[in-house]
Amino acid sequence: KAGVTQTPRYLIKTRGQQVTLSCSPISGHRSVSWYQQTPGQGLQFLFEYFSETQRNKGNFPGRFSGRQFSNSRSEMNVSTLELGDSALYLCASSLVAIPYNEQFFGPGTRLTVL
Amino acid sequence: SQQGEEDPQALSIQEGENATMNCSYKTSINNLQWYRQNSGRGLVHLILIRSNEREKHSGRLRVTLDTSKKSSSLLITASRAADTASYFCATETGGGADGLTFGKGTHLIIQP
């Protein structure tokens, strides 16, 4: 089976712009979770989608949003980018997410905000 | 907020030696997982231990869990250069509201 794929792998944006990141889960996996990783805050949970519904959301402002499509592919969007949004964004997929058992992570999208 | 805290933050050992890293957490958990991350890439799941288990093995990995002390340890035996990576513990507290809660990780360097 192909692993979790994320596109693009690298992005450079400027403050105020918006960005959309994409994640394709492992075939058959219906849950997709997103995490932000920064040197200062570490890995932080953004949100989780299951069957096109957002089930859980971490402590992030409304500028961070996402969605999931009927084929389980997921996108996350960050609007009005700030310098602090520079991070590695990781998505993870699993068959079911609650409880959170083994998560399969993609390689991440490295976002740089200038 | 961080649930898990790994100790030490960094560890450098010679190839062939054993590496031990520890994780402490704050609240009750359903399970605790260890992940490896190579150089800012995706995380790879290593092992999951449930709250009613005390020890688990997988190849050269041994994980222990002490729920009374709210701590876990990961032992890597006979280390290899390829084990150089960051290791994170992640806790699952139930309900799903926080997803997996990760610690800040232990950076392990294996010297050839």
Side-chain angles (χ1 to χ4, degrees):
Chain A
K1 273 186 180 178
V4 177
T5 58
Q6 292 187 245
T7 57
R9 293 293 310 279
Y10 302 92
L11 264 179
I12 299 176
K13 293 285 187 179
T14 56
R15 280 181 299 174
Q17 288 186 311
Q18 75 166 20
V19 67
T20 299
L21 312 181
S22 180
C23 172
S24 292
I26 290 172
S27 177
H29 285 190
R30 297 168 65 190
S31 169
V32 174
S33 299
W34 289 88
Y35 291 83
Q36 180 197 65
Q37 186 177 27
T38 60
Q41 298 298 316
L43 279 149
Q44 294 188 293
F45 173 71
L46 280 158
F47 27 64
E48 183 252 334
Y49 287 87
F50 183 83
S51 293
E52 302 178 66
T53 301
Q54 183 183 91
R55 293 200 296 189
N56 295 292
K57 184 172 166 55
N59 189 24
F60 278 82
R63 301 185 297 107
F64 291 81
S65 63
R67 58 178 175 169
Q68 186 180 35
F69 302 95
S70 58
N71 61 358
S72 294
R73 190 177 69 85
S74 177
E75 289 181 346
M76 68 163 281
N77 184 276
V78 188
S79 62
T80 320
L81 284 165
E82 300 176 359
L83 294 179
D85 297 332
S86 293
L88 181 67
Y89 289 88
L90 295 161
C91 83
S93 77
S94 61
L95 282 168
V96 293
I98 299 173
Y100 287 89
N101 292 322
E102 179 181 2
Q103 300 285 299
F104 295 84
F105 281 83
T109 294
R110 173 79 60 185
L111 172 65
T112 302
V113 182
L114 302 175
Chain B
S1 64
Q2 303 300 130
Q3 155 82 313
E5 294 289 338
E6 288 91 342
D7 170 61
Q9 290 187 333
L11 179 62
S12 179
I13 61 173
Q14 296 295 122
E15 195 166 18
E17 294 180 336
N18 296 341
T20 299
M21 50 207 94
N22 304 295
C23 167
S24 59
Y25 57 91
K26 298 172 186 171
T27 62
S28 297
I29 60 171
N30 287 332
N31 68 58
L32 185 144
Q33 303 173 41
W34 286 90
Y35 287 82
R36 184 187 74 225
Q37 185 178 38
N38 290 88
S39 192
R41 309 182 75 164
L43 280 76
V44 174
H45 183 267
L46 296 176
I47 199 164
L48 179 154
I49 187 165
R50 303 192 188 282
S51 59
N52 61 353
E53 296 175 311
R54 292 295 167 258
E55 187 171 312
K56 210 160 181 183
H57 297 254
S58 176
R60 294 184 296 113
L61 306 180
R62 172 178 168 254
V63 167
T64 62
L65 179 65
D66 187 335
T67 52
S68 67
K69 295 181 180 177
K70 292 187 169 58
S71 68
S72 173
S73 68
L74 170 67
L75 168 68
I76 304 173
T77 60
S79 62
R80 304 167 182 169
D83 295 329
T84 294
S86 291
Y87 292 81
F88 296 88
C89 68
T91 51
E92 205 285 327
T93 57
D98 298 321
L100 282 178
T101 307
F102 286 85
K104 291 212 171 182
T106 291
H107 185 53
L108 175 65
I109 297 173
I110 308 299
Q111 308 275 9

